[in-house]
Amino acid sequence: APQLIIYDLDGVITDTAEFHFLAWKKLAEELGITFDRQFNEQLKGISRMDSLDRILALGESAASLSAEEKLELATRKNGYYLELIEEINPGHILPGIEALLDDNKQAGIKIALGSASKNAPHILDKLELSDYFDYIVDAAQVTKGKPDPETFTNAADALGIAYENCIGIEDAAAGVDAINSAGMFSVAVGEQAHLGHAHYRVDHTQDLVFQDIIERFHNQPK
Ligand code: BG6
Ligand code: MG
């Protein structure tokens, strides 16, 4: 039976995935690099510096920048992002997520956060959701970000739970890869085109229903 559910933050619990997109887009435009939502799918779940590297590579300007310059750009993007999330409050929790967390807790199944974001603990506080979580993995705890499984295995290891008894919930292709390579059951929210490799996928967060997820977990082909 499942003993732990690990939730991604940006794009699953709240719509900060959109704010990351807008902040990167603003920075990229200042650099004369344009990218669209299709390219942005590759940035979801990816750490701040790795995202910057991918954008610079797209603009073919990666090689010409020093480490200091890159740090300045990443910091500038984070400034834009912090402006966008300043007003975030419990009203910004995505539909269905609080019911899911409530059902999860009532079932006695542990709850963890598996986020690539350095801003994750701050955002969880602003959403007033911190109390639900038995363990939080953010960018500070991992050496290898998604698609490496470390974000998810860290949470399971900290709580002493076997990977096969864990479920991960993600909106990013790289996040689903991370869950799958951890040997966990992957649940994705978003489009089939990007997330077809998940064990179970729904279109919208309100379709993330606790009983459905548990049923799919039990019916997975072994
Ligand atoms: C992930 C987001 O959760 O966190 C990425 O999906 C983001 O888009 C990454 O780049 C890092 O976030 P931050 O807040 O540390 O810049
Ligand atoms: Mg995400």
Side-chain angles (χ1 to χ4, degrees):
Q3 294 174 24
L4 168 64
I5 302 185
I6 306 164
Y7 294 74
D8 174 50
L9 174 69
D10 297 314
V12 170
I13 290 176
T14 185
D15 202 12
T16 38
E18 182 66 15
F19 296 151
H20 279 295
F21 169 64
L22 294 171
W24 280 127
K25 201 168 152 59
K26 181 168 177 177
L27 180 83
E29 276 165 8
E30 290 168 357
L31 300 172
I33 302 168
T34 46
F35 69 88
D36 54 14
R37 285 179 184 275
Q38 177 72 22
F39 178 81
N40 186 60
E41 286 301 321
Q42 289 180 43
L43 303 181
K44 287 188 179 172
I46 304 297
S47 76
R48 196 182 301 172
M49 285 315 272
D50 288 349
S51 299
L52 177 65
D53 283 338
R54 289 184 190 209
I55 291 167
L56 293 175
L58 179 73
E60 292 171 356
S61 43
S64 57
L65 290 171
S66 69
E68 277 105 328
E69 286 169 320
K70 285 212 253 179
L71 190 61
E72 189 277 318
L73 293 177
T75 307
R76 204 197 299 174
K77 179 268 174 178
N78 195 51
Y80 298 150
Y81 180 68
L82 290 176
E83 269 171 43
L84 290 166
I85 64 166
E86 201 169 329
E87 305 285 299
I88 219 167
N89 62 54
H92 291 86
I93 300 167
L94 281 167
I97 295 298
E98 258 193 298
L100 178 62
L101 288 168
D102 278 332
D103 291 347
N104 188 154
K105 194 148 211 106
Q106 260 178 27
I109 295 175
K110 290 227 172 350
I111 300 177
L113 191 80
S115 176
S117 172
K118 293 186 177 171
N119 294 299
H122 171 63
I123 293 173
L124 222 47
D125 272 349
K126 284 198 153 207
L127 297 172
E128 296 175 16
L129 290 177
S130 303
D131 287 350
Y132 280 102
F133 289 82
D134 297 292
Y135 195 76
I136 292 175
V137 178
D138 62 30
Q141 269 108 300
V142 293
T143 49
K144 282 174 274 163
K146 303 166 189 178
D148 189 278
E150 194 183 338
T151 302
F152 293 91
T153 56
N154 257 10
D157 291 348
L159 295 167
I161 294 166
Y163 303 156
E164 63 185 33
N165 296 328
C166 296
I167 296 171
I169 307 182
E170 266 288 351
D171 71 316
V176 170
D177 283 327
I179 298 167
N180 288 348
S181 32
M184 299 177 181
F185 185 74
S186 56
V187 176
V189 55
E191 286 172 29
Q192 168 74 17
H194 312 295
L195 302 167
H197 53 317
H199 295 119
Y200 174 46
R201 186 195 61 82
V202 298
D203 286 323
H204 305 290
T205 57
Q206 64 260 40
D207 307 322
L208 290 170
V209 175
F210 181 74
Q211 281 313 328
D212 295 347
I213 293 170
I214 299 303
E215 203 171 297
R216 295 290 182 140
F217 175 91
H218 285 298
N219 292 338
Q220 67 186 298
K222 295 274 170 176

